[in-house]
Amino acid sequence: MTAADTALICVVDDDLDVRESLDNLLRASGYRVQTFAGPDEFLACDEADTAACLVLDVRLKDANGLDFQDALAESDSPVSVILMSGHGDIPMTVRGMRAGAITFLPKPFEEEAMLTAIGEAVERDRTRRAERQAVATLRARFETLTPRERDVLGLVAAGLMNKQIAGRLEVSEITIKIHRGNLMRKMEAESLADLVRMAETLGVREPISRYHRD
């Protein structure tokens, strides 16, 4: 099963002819498609949250496509955006690309250019979802740690040795070794470097000053 077999592509354009043209093109290429006349329709669709790509017209009848792009980028479910317009200019293109658009296509667009851009968007979405799943998996493992194991993890990630961590936490070095072994097992870390990478991904590094004693 390819990405095209499962990816949902959403189209927001107030021009019915454009919506129908893209719907036919994308379905013929194996994608699932949802089309909308404006941002409100898109936001009202529950399935839109799962979209791999949004093909968005910049000049909509009742909305500014670039403003909508900005709002989506700041949401909890950002989506890869392909911008298009029959009246684009350089400032408009620059703004859209800086906001993370895959590309900016002029109307009428070349079908091959559109399909190439959508393929890139789908791949980017697949990578983003995989990364989010990996972080969710790490977070679930982290939640199994005891408060003390979390302290040890943060200090290990900050670069302290077992003896130093023991001094900071006012426990024996053997106790730290036990905690470290437990958290390595629970986090499924294959090495110290792997454990530090996980801590960095989760943002749990503890500042050494937190445990400083005068």
Side-chain angles (χ1 to χ4, degrees):
M1 181 175 291
T2 66
D5 293 320
T6 58
L8 172 64
I9 311 302
C10 288
V11 177
V12 175
D13 196 306
D14 54 14
D15 187 325
L16 178 59
D17 289 339
V18 172
R19 295 200 303 273
E20 291 180 342
S21 175
L22 279 168
D23 185 87
N24 292 333
L25 172 65
L26 298 177
R27 289 186 188 280
S29 300
Y31 294 103
R32 293 184 296 123
V33 186
Q34 290 272 15
T35 65
F36 310 92
D40 290 343
E41 289 185 15
F42 174 84
L43 294 174
C45 178
D46 293 336
E47 193 176 10
D49 287 340
T50 67
C53 172
L54 171 63
V55 181
L56 176 64
D57 186 33
V58 171
R59 295 182 182 273
L60 298 166
K61 183 177 180 181
D62 298 315
N64 182 304
L66 293 177
D67 290 342
F68 185 50
Q69 179 195 14
D70 290 340
L72 289 174
E74 296 174 358
S75 70
D76 294 331
S77 302
V79 61
S80 296
V81 175
I82 295 172
L83 296 171
M84 57 181 179
S85 176
H87 307 282
D89 55 32
I90 293 177
M92 187 183 296
T93 302
V94 170
R95 177 182 169 186
M97 297 304 292
R98 284 180 174 174
I102 297 291
T103 191
F104 196 119
L105 297 176
K107 290 181 178 178
F109 53 81
E110 295 289 337
E111 291 185 353
E112 189 60 35
M114 177 63 74
L115 291 175
T116 296
I118 287 176
E120 181 181 344
V122 169
E123 180 61 27
R124 183 182 296 187
D125 178 75
R126 187 169 68 91
T127 299
R128 178 169 57 235
R129 290 181 188 275
E131 291 173 348
R132 290 177 64 181
Q133 181 57 50
V135 172
T137 298
L138 287 181
R139 177 60 60 184
R141 294 175 189 169
F142 179 76
E143 293 299 325
T144 69
L145 302 181
T146 66
R148 181 57 84 196
E149 287 166 352
R150 295 180 188 184
D151 288 339
V152 173
L153 173 59
L155 292 170
V156 167
L160 273 68
M161 304 297 290
N162 288 342
K163 184 175 182 180
Q164 294 172 305
I165 296 174
R168 299 289 183 184
L169 300 181
E170 299 181 328
V171 296
S172 68
E173 187 174 350
I174 189 64
T175 297
I176 295 303
K177 290 181 179 179
I178 293 173
H179 285 315
R180 182 166 164 174
N182 287 339
L183 70 90
M184 288 280 289
R185 173 178 53 81
K186 291 180 180 180
M187 293 298 293
E188 300 183 25
E190 297 180 356
S191 65
L192 175 60
D194 193 27
L195 185 66
V196 171
R197 178 188 59 79
M198 292 177 178
E200 291 291 336
T201 298
L202 294 171
V204 297
R205 174 184 286 189
E206 295 286 354
I208 296 176
S209 59
R210 171 179 171 181
Y211 300 97
H212 179 70
R213 291 176 296 165
D214 294 329

